[in-house]
């Protein structure tokens, strides 16, 4: 496998040097901030990622204030007590995107967040305790116990709440394949994800960088030379 220093050097050249690349990286992950994150914010981010999947993110962002109001501030306990009529009414609520399956997912994920919170104190504390070296295990749990949180949606949820993990974006997968990792072009199978995890674990040990930086640098080292905000990695 290609050592990460080679990948980083390529990213630095593409972005204008070491300082320029560093300026494009997100801030260091803060496990304590993740642990303090309220369960309502966890459910809000789950919902935003679920509704954004296969849809223009800008539309969801533009309507987000309406989402917050319609879904009662995403308080999972409050939502869990709402009758069927409330959820049926959301199908006619113009403040949100009226997608029946995704509205049902909010109801199911409210119950999921409450379950995890009862087990660990809060969902944020649960995430804080889960090691980045086994992100694939966490993604599997999200897919099985959550609703519509599989695949890229689960990865983006973790990224946006501040969990230190990788994202198997098109550019990241291209970087891994170029480095010599034997995975498919989309890296969706359990076997491929296990290989991706093992490689990021090796690079984390090699560099002592957080996984989110490894993932972002990987993405910026290959493919179209876009702005950092366009690298979903």
């Amino acid at each position: 496998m290609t050592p990460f220093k080679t990948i980083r050097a390529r990213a630095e050249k593409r972005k204008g040097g070491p300082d320029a690349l560093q300026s494009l990286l997100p801030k260091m992950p803060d496990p304590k901030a993740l642990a303090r994150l309220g369960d309502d914010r966890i459910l809000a981010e789950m919902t935003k990622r679920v509704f954004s999947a296969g849809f223009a993110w800008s539309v969801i962002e533009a309507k987000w204030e309406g989402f917050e109001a319609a879904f009662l501030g995403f308080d999972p306990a409050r939502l869990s007590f709402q009758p069927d009529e409330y959820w049926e009414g959301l199908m006619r609520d113009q403040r949100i995107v009226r997608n029946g399956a995704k509205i049902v997912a909010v109801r199911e994920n409210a119950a999921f967040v409450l379950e995890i919170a009862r087990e660990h104190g809060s969902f944020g504390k649960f995430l804080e305790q889960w090691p980045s070296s086994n992100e694939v295990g966490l993604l599997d749990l999200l897919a099985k116990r959550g609703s519509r949180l599989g695949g890229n949606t689960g990865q983006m949820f973790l990224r946006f709440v501040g969990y230190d993990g990788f994202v198997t974006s098109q550019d990241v997968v291209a970087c891994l394949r170029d480095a010599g990792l034997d995975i498919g072009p989309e890296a969706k199978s359990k076997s491929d994800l296990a290989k991706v995890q093992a490689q990021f674990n090796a690079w984390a040990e090699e560099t002592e960088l957080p996984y989110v930086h490894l993932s972002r640098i990987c993405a910026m080292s290959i493919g179209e030379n876009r702005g950092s905000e366009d690298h979903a990695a």
Side-chain angles (χ1 to χ4, degrees):
M1 289 294 298
T2 301
F4 197 79
K5 65 180 181 180
T6 302
I7 293 169
R8 179 163 194 153
R10 189 170 67 217
E12 289 173 350
K13 183 177 180 180
R14 284 162 56 88
K15 295 302 177 182
D19 291 342
L21 177 66
Q22 188 65 37
S23 71
L24 295 173
L25 296 177
K27 63 182 180 180
M28 293 290 288
D30 184 351
K32 292 183 179 179
L34 183 57
R36 293 193 300 266
L37 201 59
D39 289 332
D40 61 321
R41 294 305 89 200
I42 291 288
L43 181 59
E45 198 57 59
M46 284 182 180
T47 302
K48 185 176 286 188
R49 295 307 123 209
V50 166
F51 273 87
S52 295
F55 205 76
W57 288 18
S58 59
V59 174
I60 303 302
E61 288 289 352
K63 296 178 75 73
W64 194 248
E65 186 175 344
F67 272 82
E68 289 279 355
F71 286 105
L72 310 178
F74 294 103
D75 182 333
R78 189 178 176 191
L79 287 172
S80 70
F81 285 108
Q82 298 306 308
D84 291 343
E85 291 76 16
Y86 162 79
W87 297 98
E88 292 165 2
L90 289 173
M91 281 300 300
R92 301 183 296 276
D93 196 327
Q94 296 185 10
R95 294 174 295 179
I96 66 172
V97 173
R98 290 161 287 173
N99 180 302
K102 293 184 177 183
I103 289 170
V104 170
V106 181
R107 188 177 196 177
E108 294 174 346
N109 283 331
F112 170 45
V113 170
L114 286 175
E115 289 172 3
I116 294 294
R118 282 194 291 266
E119 294 169 8
H120 299 273
S122 74
F123 205 102
K125 290 179 180 178
F126 162 71
L127 291 178
E128 179 204 21
Q129 297 163 6
W130 196 287
S132 298
S133 58
N134 186 27
E135 182 184 351
V136 293
L138 178 55
L139 292 170
D140 186 57
L141 182 145
L142 291 174
K144 289 179 177 177
R145 295 184 61 176
S147 180
R148 303 179 75 91
L149 293 175
N152 185 256
T153 301
Q155 293 181 15
M156 296 309 293
F157 158 69
L158 293 177
R159 172 59 53 82
F160 277 95
V161 294
Y163 180 82
D164 183 23
F166 59 81
V167 171
T168 53
S169 68
Q170 181 179 349
D171 287 340
V172 169
V173 173
C175 169
L176 289 162
R177 284 163 57 87
D178 181 75
L181 195 64
D182 181 20
I183 55 175
E186 295 186 343
K188 289 184 176 181
S189 70
K190 285 190 175 182
S191 173
D192 279 357
L193 286 172
K195 292 177 183 177
V196 171
Q197 181 75 73
Q199 187 55 50
F200 272 104
N201 290 352
W203 279 339
E205 184 175 354
E206 173 192 334
T207 64
E208 298 185 351
L209 289 173
Y211 287 68
V212 64
H213 284 193
L214 294 169
S215 184
R216 186 64 64 86
I217 293 169
C218 199
M220 291 191 288
S221 74
I222 203 165
E224 184 180 349
N225 198 0
R226 302 180 291 250
S228 175
E229 66 278 2
D230 296 321
H231 286 283

